[in-house]
């Protein structure tokens, strides 16, 4: 990643403005620097020495004001990639390192699966000792002047968090009959930390589709949080560890229920294409990666499955815009439930990694608009395929309404399968 790529985007931009029509921040503020076109031109000016070094912080702030939702990339007729350019700018302006010590410390957390598992246990204790109810009931963090920490705490779900799948789940599971193939399940960090029940549902659905599942417990973070914070060195370190683990693993597919993980794993091939050692490994890994809905759309399900509640779907940005996975979740949901289309389903919900923590006011304005669209759909259940979106939308249901149930798509599919077969975990309309 270098500044030359930032100049190349500006050279092919024809200033048509299509990107501004879908940009969340531009449509809130109506300022050119808050839109993809303005940001791309600013990056290019900086790269060519047209912006004084004293304004470096302004350029970096513009890069971080971008949600990296990549809706602009979906509509651009010339293939300009402003979302990816924002990440390139962060890396280039920060020298491939985190922007500050606090960010560096937070990112180090994702290098250790053990720390993620320990954090899951701390979260279990936080809830089960009643401390969460106490903190929220007394508004303790707000009273102590810890507003940002209070908001971060509010993102945690009300429902009981379950023990991490990496701690409790088996390493391999076979389907009831002869396997159609073998799937390696890529266990995401936040899924393992907060949404263990989602990954359990994902694994059960894959088995129900007739595939053997292996769960490599040595899996580390895909590197998405690191590249989003300009930490190129951290991203590459994690990516190489995953490539060493998965490149020669015997599996037909590598499936993940996290859209950000799927997008990053698929991008490994492009990132390492010139690396003589990791280039071939990245190619072997990336071509087998499938997002849950992408895999299930091809694998198929029994005709008898049905989820009894009207359901709508929010397309995670890293699914529809970063991977082009849009029709697949809609087909899956239409097959298992009464699918209610939602206006603006491909618009960002405002989560965007840690954007809701760093740009909370903007994020909440985007989220409020999203929840109004959910209400207009008339759905009782809202699905999505990304853990950050699950946290954000669950907060939205509590903060803005409607009080829909926010679930991962795999949970709805599993409840449909279990309900049809009478297995535990199924759900009826009564």
């Amino acid at each position: 990643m270098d500044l030359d790529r930032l100049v190349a985007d500006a050279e092919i931009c024809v200033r048509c403005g299509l990107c501004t029509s879908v940009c969340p921040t531009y449509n809130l503020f109506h300022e050119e620097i808050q839109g993809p076109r303005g940001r791309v031109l600013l990056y290019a000016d900086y790269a060519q020495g047209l912006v004084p070094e004293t304004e470096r912080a302004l350029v970096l702030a513009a890069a971080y004001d971008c949600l990296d939702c990549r809706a602009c990339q979906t509509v651009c007729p010339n293939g300009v990639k402003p979302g990816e350019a924002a990440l390139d700018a962060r890396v280039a302006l920060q020298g491939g390192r985190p922007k500050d010590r606090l960010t560096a410390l937070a990112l180090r957390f994702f290098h250790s699966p053990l720390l993620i598992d320990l954090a899951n246990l701390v979260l279990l204790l936080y809830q089960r000792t009643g401390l969460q109810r106490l903190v929220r009931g007394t508004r303790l963090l707000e009273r102590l002047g810890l507003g940002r920490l209070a908001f971060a705490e509010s993102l945690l779900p009300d429902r009981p968090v379950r023990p991490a799948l990496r701690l409790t789940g088996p390493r391999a599971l076979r389907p009831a009959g002869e396997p159609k193939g073998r799937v390696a399940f890529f266990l995401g960090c936040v899924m393992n930390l907060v949404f263990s029940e989602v990954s359990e549902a994902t694994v059960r659905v894959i088995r129900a589709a007739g595939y053997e599942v292996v769960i490599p417990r040595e899996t580390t973070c895909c590197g998405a949080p690191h590249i989003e914070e300009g930490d190129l060195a951290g991203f590459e370190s994690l990516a190489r560890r995953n490539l060493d683990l998965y490149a020669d693993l015997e599996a037909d597919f590598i499936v993940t229920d996290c859209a950000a993980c799927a997008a990053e794993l698929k991008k490994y091939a492009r990132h390492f294409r010139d690396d003589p050692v990791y280039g071939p490994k990245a190619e072997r890994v990336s071509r087998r990666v499938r997002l849950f809905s992408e895999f299930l759309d091809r694998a198929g399900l029994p005709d008898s499955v049905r989820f009894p509640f009207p359901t709508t779907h929010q397309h995670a940005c890293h699914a529809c815009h970063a991977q082009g996975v849009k029709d697949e979740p809609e087909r899956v949901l239409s097959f298992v439930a009464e699918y209610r289309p939602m206006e603006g389903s491909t618009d960002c919900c405002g989560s965007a990694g840690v954007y809701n923590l760093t740009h909370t006011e903007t994020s909440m304005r985007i989220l409020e608009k999203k929840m109004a669209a959910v209400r207009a759909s008339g759905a009782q259940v809202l699905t999505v395929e990304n853990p950050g979106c699950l946290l954000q939308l669950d907060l939205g249901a509590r903060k803005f309404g409607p009080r829909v149930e926010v679930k991962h798509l795999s949970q709805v599919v599993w409840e449909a399968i279990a309900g049809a077969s009478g297995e535990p975990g199924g759900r009826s309309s009564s």
Side-chain angles (χ1 to χ4, degrees):
M1 294 182 180
D2 54 34
L3 294 173
D4 292 339
R5 286 178 57 178
L6 304 178
V7 176
D9 264 345
E11 289 177 344
I12 61 174
C13 174
V14 294
R15 325 293 196 262
C16 69
L18 274 176
C19 59
T20 61
S21 69
V22 297
C23 176
T25 51
Y26 183 85
N27 285 302
L28 280 178
F29 300 108
H30 302 288
E31 297 174 0
E32 194 67 18
I33 198 165
Q34 288 291 350
R37 179 176 58 190
R39 290 181 183 126
V40 163
L41 297 178
L42 178 63
Y43 306 149
D45 283 351
Y46 179 83
Q48 297 173 95
L50 302 178
V51 177
E53 191 61 28
T54 54
E55 299 297 326
R56 181 189 186 97
L58 172 67
V59 183
L60 194 58
Y64 277 103
D65 284 344
C66 171
L67 287 96
D68 185 33
C69 71
R70 309 190 195 187
C72 52
Q73 299 182 186
T74 297
V75 301
C76 180
N78 276 20
V80 180
K81 299 186 182 303
E84 294 179 26
L87 302 187
D88 288 345
R90 297 172 196 178
V91 169
L93 271 68
Q94 293 171 197
R97 299 289 179 180
K99 61 180 178 289
D100 53 50
R101 290 184 179 180
L102 182 60
T103 303
L105 181 63
L107 291 174
R108 286 301 304 172
F109 168 81
F110 291 98
H111 284 256
S112 172
L114 176 62
L115 286 179
I116 294 170
D117 293 340
L118 287 174
N120 170 258
L121 294 176
V122 170
L123 182 53
L124 289 173
L125 289 172
Y126 176 65
Q127 286 191 327
R128 295 182 182 183
T129 58
L131 189 56
Q132 182 182 50
R133 289 194 303 275
L134 176 65
V135 168
R136 291 186 175 182
T138 61
R139 301 179 64 86
L140 177 63
L141 297 176
E142 292 95 326
R143 292 172 185 272
L144 293 175
L146 302 173
R148 181 167 293 185
L149 182 59
F151 176 78
E153 196 282 333
S154 74
L155 285 168
L156 296 175
D158 286 334
R159 52 135 192 95
V161 171
R162 295 172 60 175
L165 184 62
R166 183 166 29 229
L167 293 174
T168 61
R171 282 184 174 269
L173 291 161
R174 291 179 61 84
E178 186 65 26
K180 296 178 184 177
R182 196 168 193 246
V183 164
F185 179 60
F186 188 92
L187 186 60
C189 299
V190 180
M191 287 297 194
N192 188 58
L193 172 61
V194 186
F195 296 109
S196 181
E197 71 277 13
V198 169
S199 292
E200 287 178 11
T202 302
V203 169
R204 286 170 173 168
V205 172
I206 296 171
R207 287 184 66 211
Y211 285 79
E212 179 184 3
V213 185
V214 293
I215 308 173
R217 293 183 180 173
E218 300 83 4
T219 299
T220 57
C221 175
C222 66
H226 302 75
I227 204 66
E228 288 170 2
E229 293 297 316
D231 182 12
L232 179 61
F235 163 76
E236 290 185 336
S237 172
L238 290 166
R240 290 190 180 101
R241 287 167 63 181
N242 283 319
L243 289 173
D244 287 337
L245 177 60
Y246 281 90
D248 297 318
L249 192 64
E250 192 175 322
D252 301 293
F253 302 102
I254 300 168
V255 175
T256 178
D257 48 18
C258 170
C261 292
E264 215 57 60
L265 292 168
K266 289 177 180 179
K267 200 173 74 177
Y268 282 179
R270 187 179 69 193
H271 186 85
F272 289 100
R273 63 188 169 203
D274 298 325
D275 190 306
V277 175
Y278 285 94
K281 290 185 177 185
E283 180 61 35
R284 291 199 297 276
V285 168
S286 295
R287 69 168 178 257
R288 291 181 292 163
V289 173
R290 302 289 187 276
L291 183 59
F292 170 76
S293 61
E294 188 181 14
F295 166 80
L296 191 60
D297 184 52
R298 295 290 298 273
L301 284 171
D303 290 337
S304 60
V305 301
R306 200 70 185 162
F307 182 75
F309 298 94
T311 306
T312 194
H313 185 74
Q314 164 65 18
H315 292 278
C317 298
H318 276 87
C320 62
H321 299 308
Q323 301 175 68
V325 177
K326 178 184 181 294
D327 295 338
E328 294 90 339
E330 291 183 358
R331 281 196 293 262
V332 169
L333 195 54
S334 297
F335 184 78
V336 303
E338 178 192 339
Y339 172 52
R340 299 280 183 90
M342 177 173 61
E343 184 178 355
S345 62
T346 59
D347 296 343
C348 185
C349 68
S351 173
V354 294
Y355 195 91
N356 51 6
L357 296 174
T358 60
H359 297 69
T360 303
E361 183 179 349
T362 302
S363 172
M364 291 301 100
R365 290 176 67 182
I366 294 170
L367 178 60
E368 186 172 12
K369 180 181 177 182
K370 175 62 61 181
M371 299 315 296
V374 174
R375 181 182 292 106
S377 75
Q380 295 178 30
V381 177
L382 170 64
T383 62
V384 71
E385 288 188 275
N386 199 63
C389 303
L390 282 168
L391 291 170
Q392 176 87 339
L393 294 168
D394 184 69
L395 174 65
R398 287 182 272 127
K399 187 178 179 69
F400 302 115
R403 295 291 294 199
V404 293
E405 286 191 75
V406 180
K407 292 177 174 288
H408 192 282
L409 181 59
S410 70
Q411 292 176 285
V412 165
V413 176
W414 173 244
E415 288 181 20
I417 294 172
S421 63
E423 292 190 41
R427 178 176 172 180
S428 69
S429 56
S430 61

